[in-house]
Amino acid sequence: MSETDTGRIGDGAQAGTDTVAGETLVRVRGLEKYYYENDTIVDTLLGRETESVKAVDGIDLDIERGETLGLVGESGCGKSTTGETLLRLREPTGGTVEFDGRDVAEFSDTELTEFRERAQIVFQDPFSSLDPRMTIGDIVTEGLTIHGLPEETPPDTSRQAARRQRAEELLERVGLSADQIDRYPHEFSGGQRQRIGIARALALDPEFVVLDEPVSALDVSVQAQILNLLDDLQDEYGLTYLFIAHDLSVVRHICDRVAVMYLGEVVERGDTDDIFTAPSHPYTEALLESVPRADTSEQGRRVDPLSGDVPSPRNPPSGCRFRTRCPEIIPPAGVDTDQALYRNVVTLRDRLERGEFGTERFRDGENDDEAFKQSVREEFGVDGLSGADADTVEDALEVLANGREADAAQRLTDRFESVCETDAPADHDCGGGQIAACHLHRDDSREPAPDANETAIESAFDDTPADLSDDA
């Protein structure tokens, strides 16, 4: 369907036309989305302090026309919130989102309506995202009805008939039958429902589509069909995708570039091949290392989970947010111990600071300070230190045995505090356009060339799985 409205916002390429390589369609700077608790008038009168959940906290992204940018990370890191905020389905707390050179937050009602035609979303759950009371024909044509499209029809064709014809064409294009147009969502499988969701998103001829984990609820064989369909539609209509996922093999298959999120922040971004073959952030390395590998040499390989505690977005850690789980946290000058021991000391200190230590469980009903200290050493694995490091831990345990948790935490902080705690890492160029927010790259001390572990990671993604082939 061509667009004839000359008052459309921006002058970007229309769907189905050639895209301009290297031209930024979506530019995100400092995007924030907070959810507030205890912020009602009653809470204010009762003197309750307002708390915020920092779902998205200051991210920067650029999405070029015609490309697919993958947004990956653990569940709860803010991926879906980011996608919905880009489309103004959720109002941002701060930052800017520019679409085709225009700030989305400054759109008037009319401009926002026009923006809805150019930017669409495919939701994660194909079962709850379709209205069970509507036929799929009504679902696909709903956007056309809201926007008063098509603007012109042949003399012998009504708008309603033109919309129905458009829906039939789209159903055929996504692999369904036009004869199914009067059926209801419950009559379709999960994969078929997702195809309906894709048809609905394409009805307005968008340029930009947010794909919010579009295959995570589907069987593997059905995933392959949907991914190949999305790939074909992108080529056919000149679409730009933000592909949100946590399945890294899927991301490797479909995305041109990747951004990695952790606790509301983007910690690394770059070309897909560079991210998968030579990750520059410890969190990215941990994600890739956790992926099962289809190789007989990998039989019996143990995947060590990240240590430390998963922070809450209500109270994220200071400095680098990944520091509470990072296997490469930077010790301060003068601390000479291996990473595992240092990590254990920091974990003990963090528990004390947050008031989550639980002194009584180490006492076991007895008042033996030596037994108490030994139980703490064994629980947190802080044996094996030497010199001033060992003296500091012993002093902190002595203070802790006297019930002074805050003082014990402070003694550990004075000796073991890391730059990863005091300073938020800036973005560092790791070469080839690969950007990582990590203190390890402050002085270019860590080269992005793959080591033996990274070579093994690369081999896990060398071959496209059979179920993601073009014949699936």
Side-chain angles (χ1 to χ4, degrees):
M1 184 189 309
S2 62
E3 295 169 358
T4 59
D5 186 356
T6 57
R8 308 264 311 172
I9 55 175
D11 297 313
Q14 301 300 323
T17 66
D18 294 335
T19 57
V20 181
E23 181 184 352
T24 300
L25 178 63
V26 181
R27 185 187 303 275
V28 181
R29 292 294 180 269
L31 183 65
E32 297 175 343
K33 178 58 184 177
Y34 297 171
Y35 296 95
Y36 293 97
E37 299 177 337
N38 300 335
D39 62 340
T40 66
I41 295 177
V42 174
D43 292 321
T44 302
L45 294 175
L46 294 177
R48 296 171 181 165
E49 186 176 349
T50 300
E51 296 182 356
S52 62
V53 177
K54 299 177 179 178
V56 179
D57 198 15
I59 69 169
D60 297 342
L61 292 173
D62 289 320
I63 308 176
E64 297 180 358
R65 286 189 188 277
E67 79 164 349
T68 300
L69 175 67
L71 191 60
V72 303
E74 295 171 299
S75 296
C77 70
K79 304 186 300 297
S80 295
T81 301
T82 297
E84 292 170 4
T85 307
L86 294 188
L87 300 180
R88 264 191 74 179
L89 297 179
R90 301 181 186 273
E91 291 296 327
T93 304
T96 61
V97 178
E98 293 182 3
F99 182 82
D100 208 7
R102 293 283 308 280
D103 189 343
V104 173
E106 296 180 355
F107 285 165
S108 65
D109 291 344
T110 300
E111 290 172 327
L112 185 59
T113 299
E114 294 171 355
F115 171 64
R116 298 284 184 228
E117 293 183 40
R118 301 179 65 189
Q120 287 288 309
I121 186 170
V122 176
F123 293 99
Q124 176 178 355
D125 188 351
F127 296 92
S128 63
S129 61
L130 302 180
D131 191 333
R133 297 167 297 181
M134 298 174 67
T135 66
I136 64 169
D138 291 337
I139 289 171
V140 173
T141 60
E142 185 176 21
L144 298 172
T145 303
I146 291 172
H147 290 271
L149 298 175
E151 294 179 351
E152 297 180 0
T153 61
D156 58 343
T157 304
S158 66
R159 276 192 178 184
Q160 184 175 0
R163 291 167 186 162
R164 184 179 176 89
Q165 181 180 358
R166 171 68 170 162
E168 291 174 345
E169 293 172 354
L170 286 170
L171 292 176
E172 294 280 359
R173 183 61 194 87
V174 299
L176 298 174
S177 171
D179 295 337
Q180 298 171 315
I181 193 169
D182 293 318
R183 294 186 183 181
Y184 289 86
H186 73 271
E187 301 179 69
F188 295 88
S189 66
Q192 290 174 321
R193 293 188 192 198
Q194 199 62 291
R195 291 174 187 270
I196 296 168
I198 294 171
R200 173 175 60 184
L202 293 178
L204 296 173
D205 276 341
E207 297 172 50
F208 176 55
V209 181
V210 173
L211 303 169
D212 186 6
E213 302 204 36
V215 296
S216 63
L218 308 177
D219 293 337
V220 175
S221 60
V222 180
Q223 286 184 14
Q225 297 169 13
I226 297 298
L227 291 173
N228 291 328
L229 171 63
L230 292 171
D231 215 8
D232 293 340
L233 292 172
Q234 184 174 41
D235 292 338
E236 183 176 342
Y237 295 107
L239 299 172
T240 302
Y241 290 151
L242 174 64
F243 189 88
I244 298 170
H246 59 262
D247 188 331
L248 297 179
S249 62
V250 169
V251 170
R252 182 69 184 270
H253 174 69
I254 197 172
C255 296
D256 302 300
R257 293 189 302 120
V258 177
V260 182
M261 283 192 73
Y262 181 79
L263 206 63
E265 298 181 339
V266 172
V267 297
E268 184 170 3
R269 59 187 185 273
D271 290 341
T272 301
D273 288 340
D274 293 338
I275 294 290
F276 277 77
T277 57
S280 296
H281 194 283
Y283 177 62
T284 310
E285 292 182 11
L287 283 181
L288 295 175
E289 179 64 20
S290 66
V291 176
R293 301 170 188 165
D295 192 320
T296 55
S297 65
E298 294 293 317
Q299 185 174 2
R301 178 176 70 97
R302 177 179 174 82
V303 177
D304 294 324
L306 290 168
S307 61
D309 302 311
V310 180
S312 168
R314 287 183 173 84
N315 184 28
S318 61
C320 175
R321 294 189 175 181
F322 185 54
R323 66 172 176 83
T324 60
R325 304 170 70 195
C326 182
E328 299 183 54
I329 186 172
I330 302 173
V335 172
D336 186 17
T337 184
D338 66 60
Q339 180 63 222
L341 270 175
Y342 180 64
R343 170 79 269 165
N344 292 344
V345 173
V346 171
T347 300
L348 169 60
R349 193 279 317 276
D350 288 345
R351 290 277 184 87
L352 291 170
E353 286 185 338
R354 295 198 303 267
E356 300 174 358
F357 177 71
T359 301
E360 292 305 318
R361 69 190 183 92
F362 293 99
R363 286 293 185 185
D364 198 23
E366 300 180 3
N367 198 30
D368 185 341
D369 287 351
E370 288 303 319
F372 168 80
K373 291 190 288 185
Q374 185 58 34
S375 295
V376 175
R377 292 191 193 97
E378 293 174 357
E379 172 79 12
F380 289 92
V382 294
D383 276 330
L385 296 166
S386 61
D389 299 335
D391 293 341
T392 300
V393 172
E394 182 61 29
D395 183 33
L397 292 179
E398 187 66 35
V399 172
L400 185 58
N402 293 324
R404 295 151 52 197
E405 293 188 12
D407 289 343
Q410 187 58 53
R411 292 177 195 271
L412 294 175
T413 296
D414 292 343
R415 174 67 182 172
F416 295 102
E417 187 173 53
S418 167
V419 66
C420 300
E421 305 173 50
T422 58
D423 301 335
D427 287 344
H428 295 278
D429 189 346
C430 304
Q434 193 169 346
I435 305 296
C438 182
H439 289 301
L440 291 170
H441 299 280
R442 286 180 304 164
D443 300 317
D444 298 324
S445 59
R446 185 181 180 203
E447 297 296 329
D451 57 18
N453 180 55
E454 290 166 346
T455 301
I457 291 173
E458 179 180 2
S459 68
F461 296 94
D462 274 345
D463 298 324
T464 301
D467 54 69
L468 296 182
S469 67
D470 291 335
D471 296 329

